Amino acid sequence: FITHPINVGLILVSLKMDEDTVIAGLLHDVVEDCEIPLSDVKNKFGNNVSRLVDGVTKLLQLDEKMKDQSQAEHFQKMALATAEDVRVVIIKLADRLHNLKTIEHLPRDKQVKKCRETLDLYAPLAHQIGMHKMATELEDCSFKTLHPARYKFIQDALEENNLNKKTLISRVKKSLNARFKKNDIEAKITGREKRVFSIYQKIKKKKFSFADIYDVFAFRVLVNNAEDCYKALGFIHNIFTPITGRFKDYIGLPKPNGYQSLHTSVIGRHRPIEIQIRTMPMHEFAERGVASH
């Protein structure tokens, strides 16, 4: 009873939430589970905290009304409508994330129900409010519980294929930085490994084998202007071997939603990697504008 709310509070602290949200996270179950009247919460912790706790309680009641997956979209709209304050949704997401991290203590049928509900409702809700890191954590935890064999297969394939992943990322970054510096291109380079669940979705959706997933490793190159994007692309293709049919120019021909970037896939250090090249304004628009995920 105490370990769970403390961990929800710690997740909210890690998200740099305000004091009222952290307090409400610690108290999120008291009205529903401990028969503490909301008036007591209001008297001891103030209006803001009591409103947040009340919002989370209403979301818990909505959970109970959820019967099947066809109501998923309805739930998302209801959740955002019910939560007059988006912090209510954030507390609920933190609550669900800790539930998933301790899910092994539940019977198997309840594990499956919670994980399916998370993939259908809570992960999309997290994406909807722009919390993509939270969403991917919810997805990976749920996928691991629902399909442990598939999760292990992809995880093992990643490890076998990329035993020195940190070394690979640092070497690719070092090669690119050296060439850009030599040619007076200012660039910020970030590298990451794709999440297990996103790889699984791509395998399932596009009927690829693991070997066909070109963007298991993805790099992003941010430069000052569009001209530097094309220069950087030339140097990348000069350092690494481009993969045929895997180049897209969304700068010359932006997507209908305005998204702009150059996408290329190359063989880097004997492994296929995907690289996106864009300017900082293009990146801001992709992350926060109408073109965001």
Side-chain angles (χ1 to χ4, degrees):
F1 284 104
I2 191 65
T3 303
H4 172 64
I6 284 176
N7 277 280
V8 170
L10 288 170
I11 291 168
L12 294 168
V13 169
S14 74
L15 294 169
K16 295 183 167 49
M17 298 305 296
D18 62 288
E19 190 178 304
D20 286 346
T21 309
V22 176
I23 295 169
L26 291 167
L27 300 172
H28 74 276
D29 276 336
V30 296
V31 174
E32 186 73 11
D33 293 346
C34 308
E35 298 178 2
I36 302 287
L38 193 63
S39 56
D40 280 12
V41 176
K42 186 176 178 180
N43 292 335
K44 290 185 179 180
F45 300 99
N47 282 336
N48 286 339
V49 172
S50 71
R51 270 204 301 270
L52 291 171
V53 172
D54 188 40
V56 178
T57 305
K58 284 175 179 168
L59 282 186
L60 288 169
Q61 289 162 355
L62 261 180
D63 269 0
E64 297 308 311
K65 291 173 187 171
M66 267 298 303
K67 298 295 179 195
D68 57 58
Q69 294 173 18
S70 64
Q71 288 177 277
E73 198 176 336
H74 170 72
F75 175 90
Q76 289 179 40
K77 288 175 182 169
M78 282 291 289
L80 288 173
T82 304
E84 293 172 7
D85 189 326
V86 74
R87 292 176 298 175
V88 169
V89 177
I90 295 169
I91 294 166
K92 183 62 195 165
L93 293 174
D95 169 47
R96 178 51 59 109
L97 181 59
H98 185 252
N99 283 339
L100 292 178
K101 286 182 174 180
T102 55
I103 203 162
E104 70 275 8
H105 302 296
L106 289 179
R108 181 63 189 165
D109 60 326
K110 288 191 176 176
Q111 289 182 20
V112 169
K113 181 177 178 291
K114 270 196 185 292
C115 290
R116 285 197 176 138
E117 191 179 76
T118 301
L119 290 176
D120 291 333
L121 311 175
Y122 291 106
L125 193 57
H127 279 301
Q128 206 170 319
I129 60 172
M131 297 185 72
H132 304 301
K133 186 174 182 294
M134 169 72 80
T136 54
E137 277 196 84
L138 291 168
E139 286 166 348
D140 275 3
C141 286
S142 300
F143 177 57
K144 186 177 182 178
T145 301
L146 279 176
H147 302 294
R150 294 176 203 183
Y151 183 92
K152 188 174 186 310
F153 169 78
I154 295 172
Q155 190 71 28
D156 288 350
L158 274 173
E159 284 175 17
E160 185 184 334
N161 208 27
N162 313 296
L163 284 172
N164 299 310
K165 48 197 170 197
K166 284 183 181 170
T167 308
L168 172 85
I169 289 171
S170 67
R171 280 181 180 171
V172 169
K173 284 171 76 173
K174 196 174 177 181
S175 299
L176 294 177
N177 273 320
R179 183 62 65 92
F180 293 156
K181 195 172 181 181
K182 189 178 174 183
N183 290 277
D184 297 322
I185 294 176
E186 279 184 47
K188 182 184 175 187
I189 304 165
T190 54
R192 65 190 168 82
E193 186 185 356
K194 287 275 186 171
R195 303 297 292 249
V196 172
F197 184 67
S198 69
I199 292 170
Y200 172 69
Q201 279 184 308
K202 200 164 275 194
I203 290 170
K204 194 176 173 188
K205 187 178 173 185
K206 299 193 176 179
K207 295 185 168 53
F208 285 165
S209 72
F210 185 82
D212 293 326
I213 303 295
Y214 289 116
D215 54 354
V216 168
F217 282 100
F219 289 82
R220 189 168 286 140
V221 177
L222 301 179
V223 295
N224 289 333
N225 52 57
E227 187 182 345
D228 282 353
C229 290
Y230 291 101
K231 283 183 185 174
L233 176 72
F235 293 128
I236 289 165
H237 284 180
N238 188 244
I239 298 168
F240 304 113
T241 306
I243 297 168
T244 309
R246 292 284 302 172
F247 170 67
K248 298 260 177 28
D249 182 356
Y250 294 121
I251 295 178
L253 280 169
K255 286 188 179 183
N257 63 6
Y259 174 84
Q260 288 185 290
S261 190
L262 298 178
H263 291 195
T264 186
S265 291
V266 298
I267 300 295
R269 305 282 171 186
H270 314 296
R271 294 171 179 83
I273 56 175
E274 184 192 76
I275 302 175
Q276 298 175 350
I277 310 156
R278 59 177 76 146
T279 65
M280 186 53 82
M282 290 173 192
H283 179 62
E284 288 292 317
F285 185 71
E287 293 296 303
R288 298 184 177 86
V290 295
S292 66
H293 289 297

